[in-house]
């Protein structure tokens, strides 16, 4: 009963097949191969926009590189106070940007609003040289609490960002889930709503290692390339990584997997809701379920073999009793039934 | 009626004299001169401890250098949510430390407590590599709200810091005021209470340009020297800067000036308290007075020629109506009377 | 006839098999899985020493992380004037170390000697704060010219480094080739000869993506972990990467592949030597052949379908006529015959 | 007999007077005062061009800030192999630029030529992402060997720089000497010859502490301001520093002092040339004399009380026997006679 994280999951057979199929003989290194070129084209197709795109090994690296294209070292990045870029990347944004500051904005269940962004900006408006320069708003889609932004909500945040002269960054580690949840197109959720740069994650959704920095402005390609290179992010045998994207997008595999993960999460939520001692904190829009349960209940579940995370964030309002359960496309009905059985006891 | 900042003030005649007296002929550059050696000795005498000390041009540089000696680039600095190092240094700590993260802790009127530090640390305890490594607690003495920490309070914060394996940094831009307010010795307020590194400021208290990084561990001298050098902080004609410290400490000039500034601040506070429309927010321990007054009252004062700052901080609880008034050793009784007269109208 | 680079090659079937075998079901992310633990143990076995080891996606990242553990930001790294870390990593060492300086040392065909290191150090000896602090000697094994250092030569360089208080770093992107060429053990070529940190590369020798930072001092594990994390170098599904090392070391696959590559390189060298217009610049110890040939000859070869690199380095003494040919374990006898046939014409 | 460095000298009485004259009462801090505004205007007058200008405490900081405006962190700065920014600033350019690489170019007695710049650029032309991006040519005027570039020479280097898409930086720590030596105007020696940013030094020529970053493009003002601020370079009581520039430029004091220093250097050179054991290496254009003398002769001079520096640079061709003698406007005829007397013995 593993509900720890979707990146504990394996590699989807179709992804693995694609990797295998790239395996024979010589091909130009560092992304100059045909597989990579095809993957790049596919990205432009999926997002209906020209772009500069870099394939990198991790989401933290993708976020760091993306943010470094949008803020000077003396700039400020505003994000949700529980954002991965703020809390869970060990300072990667600071490392990649050369020391920009990451400022927290409030918002229920991981979602900033124009108002909470404006509140965060108050001490920086009007800008003055004593204080870092407001440069980027970074939102996570889907958020760290498994909620999603609609295109309209993203558009409103973009307008707020623009009003301060700030750019828009999106951490899309679980972007597929957000596409599935909103029914909006990748384009609607990004550049059409004002997003400048997207970190697109595939690893949590069935890939082996597939993360991308999507820059909806091709003129930034040179800088993107240099920044990845000097961070040592360009794998030499890039084709094996690029091949994953082909399989990922083919026949909308990415969306099927997101749907499947979400379905299992809904089933998990139902099982939880049946328990009187557990409070579902927010309806799961993707494959993440957040519940409140006492340490005793949590202990009982863990003794029965369930694995999941306590969810302690800055400004915790759940007295340390928030817990995160993640499902994946590999989560089986058996696992869910087993957990339900434990809950019923 | 200038109450904007103590660094708008001039240079005390005795400080200027000391500069002049250093002015003739050749002397070794970069701090290898006799004046600088004497100043160093004086620091050890005043603080009753051996040390490595670097003289730098600004308080932000002093803080940056000091913090860079106490945290790795992947570390976290915890300070008050209104701390100068967090809000008003344009990211200097990030620059000097190579990207460490500065985390806010709460506390009334600029003062952290062991509890607020622990609350800030909660998401980082126990440490894990996804999150930056807790490395330093930095407190400001006197604080950004003109309050001061007693030696006991500092000691309690040090104990809290040590319990997380963190070092203690003190931003002493207005340290003289804190010595005057607490009646404690420089040693009691620093190393005896667990402070590892102090930024000592003289500029706001009558010097032309005198800031120091005081490291109470001589074995760090080499690193201190290298870090200052590569930041270009070592003035070549150092003697003119070092001379200021001699005059500053001679016959306790620094404490006289701090006392004088504080006395004028108390008079200012009295005049303010006499006004029914003004609320004194906190009793001034040094030369800073914080009051709450409506925009209308503030406007009236400004029309009458008074200059002071609105005090907008993250998480402002005063509806934008907090105002800061600073006095200095140059603040005259006439200025205070003039303001009192305006207030009476 | 591809002789461009060994990282143009594919993935060895045994490596691919190991990846596949790791593919089913859930496992802890970020290297907390069993496969990774086994790989770590294997490293200690192969190198006969305890260590902290981090698996990272590229050799540049490995070098950057390793160097950042050995030099402060105000330090100097001395390496050969043609070293990859100096010339071909787009400033990755500067990025990872926070701005350390990389200083060139001379030496025929990629090899530094104690004398050339001492010559490079002359302006930094004795150290003074105006100049960066000598901190690391970094050598490449095998070198950028396909030559190798014997354990004695490494030991002599280590002694020189120690005499300046500097640590020893080794870029082992083609370390397998050096083991094969010298007949020395991995331990003899590293820690027994004074090497503190090794970047071990597997990608160029048959892996898909396998690079490691090998730190022969386990007490550095925490810093190693933090530094990798904040650079976003830790892949979440680490087991697929760790599995490669198991196959790589099993039954000395790594050494077989290195031998095979070297054998093909010797055949290539023989074919070249048969041509009167081509000068072999140095006897190939690994799978790299450097020859001097006119632009005309090079053009003829390229027209016939051969791909290889011009080798332009700082201080080029070959009038732009040095060319690099690389073989790999996938280089076939047919390719070599084809090239030989072209050369005979 | 101090011939060590011009920054061992004192402060010229007129400069000190100007500092004193700024000393009374309150004035806006951080350069918002009238004295600073006047100094800025004066800079535009002297250089006949609009500009953004920042006053900073040291030449290394000025160089660091200036370079950081001209190169991205993944860029390369080309300068003479003996340049102060490369050798003597403890990595300040790397610190300020966030890790750009400083590449050496050759040239007799401190002067690069278009040919030596092109040779240094060869491995970077055409640019590729494996290698840092050529971004700035930085020249020192006057050079580290006391020689000067004519406007034509600077223009030729600018043309070379532009051909690679690189900007032009000038380290003018001893710029006054170069104006005096060439007879060219400040404008001719800078923007009219293609220089984008100049570090102008006053400290070595009679000021107490006066260094400036002169950016001949006012649109860069915001970035300049932010970068200085986050480095903690903006002194709060700026007026005392700005006042120095007023006195420095008034009645061409700066050029008188440069002339006087140069005259004394010529006398020193004559005295040296009279000695058969001393070889003048290059005719002094400013106040620096470089001679070759044996360790024995140097020892004799030192025993007689003369102080001067051995001049050991990377690639030293003088067998460690180059020595540097500096004069200043304070160098007296008596000191020169005394040295001449020793030489005659």
């Amino acid at each position: 009963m593993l509900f720890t994280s979707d990146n504990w999951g394996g590699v989807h057979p179709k992804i693995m097949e694609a990797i295998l199929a790239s395996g024979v003989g010589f091909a130009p290194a560092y992304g100059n191969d045909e597989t990579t070129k095809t993957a790049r084209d596919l990205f432009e197709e999926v997002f209906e926009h020209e772009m500069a795109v870099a394939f990198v090994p991790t989401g933290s690296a993708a976020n760091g590189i993306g943010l470094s294209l949008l803020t000077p070292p003396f700039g400020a990045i505003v994000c949700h106070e529980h954002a991965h870029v703020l809390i869970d990347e060990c300072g990667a944004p600071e490392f990649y940007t050369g020391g920009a500051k990451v400022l927290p904005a409030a918002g229920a269940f991981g979602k900033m609003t124009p108002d909470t962004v404006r509140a965060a900006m108050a001490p920086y408006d009007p800008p003055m040289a004593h204080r870092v320069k407001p440069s980027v708003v970074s939102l996570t889609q889907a958020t760290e609490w498994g909620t999603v932004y609609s295109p309209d909500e993203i558009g409103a945040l973009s307008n707020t960002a623009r009003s301060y002269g700030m750019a828009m960054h999106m951490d899309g580690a679980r972007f597929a889930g957000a596409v599935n949840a909103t029914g909006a197109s990748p384009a609607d959720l990004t550049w059409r709503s004002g997003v400048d740069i997207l970190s697109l994650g595939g690893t949590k959704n069935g890939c082996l290692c597939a993360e991308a920095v999507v820059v909806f402005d091709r003129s930034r390609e040179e800088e993107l390339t240099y920044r990845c290179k000097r961070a040592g992010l360009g794998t030499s045998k890039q084709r094996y990584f690029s091949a994953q994207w082909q399989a990922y997008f083919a026949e909308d595999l990415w969306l099927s997997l997101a749907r499947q993960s979400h379905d299992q999460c809904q089933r998990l939520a139902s099982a939880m809701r049946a328990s009187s001692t557990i409070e579902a904190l927010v309806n799961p829009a993707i494959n993440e379920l957040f519940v409140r349960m006492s340490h005793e209940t949590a202990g009982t579940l863990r003794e029965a073999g369930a694995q999941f995370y306590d969810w302690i964030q800055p400004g915790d309002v759940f007295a340390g009793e928030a817990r995160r359960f993640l499902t994946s496309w590999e989560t089986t009905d058996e696992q869910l039934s087993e957990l339900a059985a434990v809950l019923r006891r």
Side-chain angles (χ1 to χ4, degrees), chain A:
Chain A
M1 295 188 289
L2 289 176
F3 302 100
T4 43
S5 187
D6 32 13
N7 55 32
W8 286 43
V11 177
H12 191 273
K14 287 191 179 164
I15 303 286
M16 196 59 105
E17 246 172 60
I19 295 173
L20 273 175
S22 312
V24 190
F26 291 88
Y30 294 114
N32 297 312
D33 61 284
E34 286 307 310
T35 310
T36 301
K37 278 173 201 157
T38 306
R40 286 169 190 273
D41 290 348
L42 211 46
F43 263 75
E44 299 204 334
E45 207 176 283
V46 168
F47 283 91
E48 307 171 49
H49 202 282
E50 64 166 30
M51 64 177 63
V53 60
F55 302 130
V56 296
T58 69
S60 292
N63 286 333
I65 291 288
L67 290 169
S68 76
L69 285 162
L70 296 176
T71 178
F74 48 83
I77 300 155
V78 175
C79 63
H80 190 273
E81 59 187 331
H82 301 163
H84 203 264
V85 295
L86 174 54
I87 304 296
D88 285 305
E89 300 188 348
C90 194
E94 287 86 348
F95 179 51
Y96 278 97
T97 62
K101 203 181 268 290
V102 189
L103 298 173
F109 295 113
K111 287 177 69 176
M112 295 182 288
T113 66
D115 280 351
T116 64
V117 169
R118 274 192 289 266
M121 294 307 305
Y124 300 88
D125 179 39
M128 57 172 138
H130 287 254
R131 298 186 172 175
V132 284
K133 182 182 175 176
S135 299
V136 201
V137 172
S138 175
L139 53 84
T140 315
Q141 172 78 319
T143 75
E144 285 75 10
W145 285 89
T147 52
V148 295
Y149 291 96
S150 71
D152 281 356
E153 288 171 326
I154 300 167
L157 285 169
S158 291
N159 287 341
T160 306
R162 299 297 170 211
S163 75
Y164 294 106
M166 299 167 87
M168 281 289 284
H169 174 261
M170 182 180 275
D171 175 355
R174 294 189 180 94
F175 186 76
V179 174
N180 182 58
T182 59
S185 74
D188 285 343
L189 288 171
T190 54
W191 61 270
R192 277 207 200 104
S193 302
V195 172
D196 297 291
I197 295 185
L198 166 75
S199 296
L200 182 66
T203 312
K204 285 182 162 69
N205 193 32
C207 289
L208 191 157
C209 179
E211 305 287 327
V213 187
V214 179
V215 184
F216 296 108
D217 173 357
R218 199 176 276 167
S219 76
R220 306 299 301 278
E221 188 150 38
E222 186 191 81
E223 184 176 351
L224 175 63
T225 305
Y226 272 115
R227 285 194 178 270
C228 287
K229 193 72 202 170
R230 88 165 180 134
L233 296 177
T235 52
S236 57
K237 298 186 177 174
Q238 177 56 38
R239 53 180 153 157
Y240 299 100
F241 296 89
S242 303
Q244 300 176 46
W245 292 112
Q246 293 190 30
Y248 190 64
F249 289 131
E251 297 170 27
D252 283 344
L253 176 64
W254 65 314
L255 301 181
S256 312
L257 295 178
R259 195 176 319 117
Q260 208 174 323
S261 305
H262 178 238
D263 289 350
Q264 296 301 59
C265 197
Q266 291 286 33
R267 284 186 196 110
L268 177 64
S270 301
M272 292 278 189
R273 282 197 200 95
S275 167
S276 59
T277 58
I278 296 174
E279 177 193 356
L281 292 173
V282 59
N283 199 39
I286 58 164
N287 60 329
E288 293 188 292
L289 178 68
F290 291 86
V291 298
R292 181 169 182 166
M293 61 170 72
S294 67
H295 292 297
E296 202 189 345
T297 308
T300 307
L301 281 178
R302 282 174 174 144
E303 269 165 42
Q307 292 192 37
F308 52 91
Y309 286 139
D310 298 328
W311 201 242
I312 311 299
Q313 296 292 339
D316 180 33
V317 295
F318 302 110
E321 296 184 345
R323 323 283 173 186
R324 191 187 79 166
F325 289 76
L326 255 89
T327 56
S328 97
W329 58 273
E330 289 186 291
T331 305
T332 61
D333 292 345
E334 287 67 35
Q335 289 175 311
L336 295 175
S337 304
E338 193 185 343
L339 189 77
V342 176
L343 287 168
R344 275 193 300 272
R345 287 200 298 264

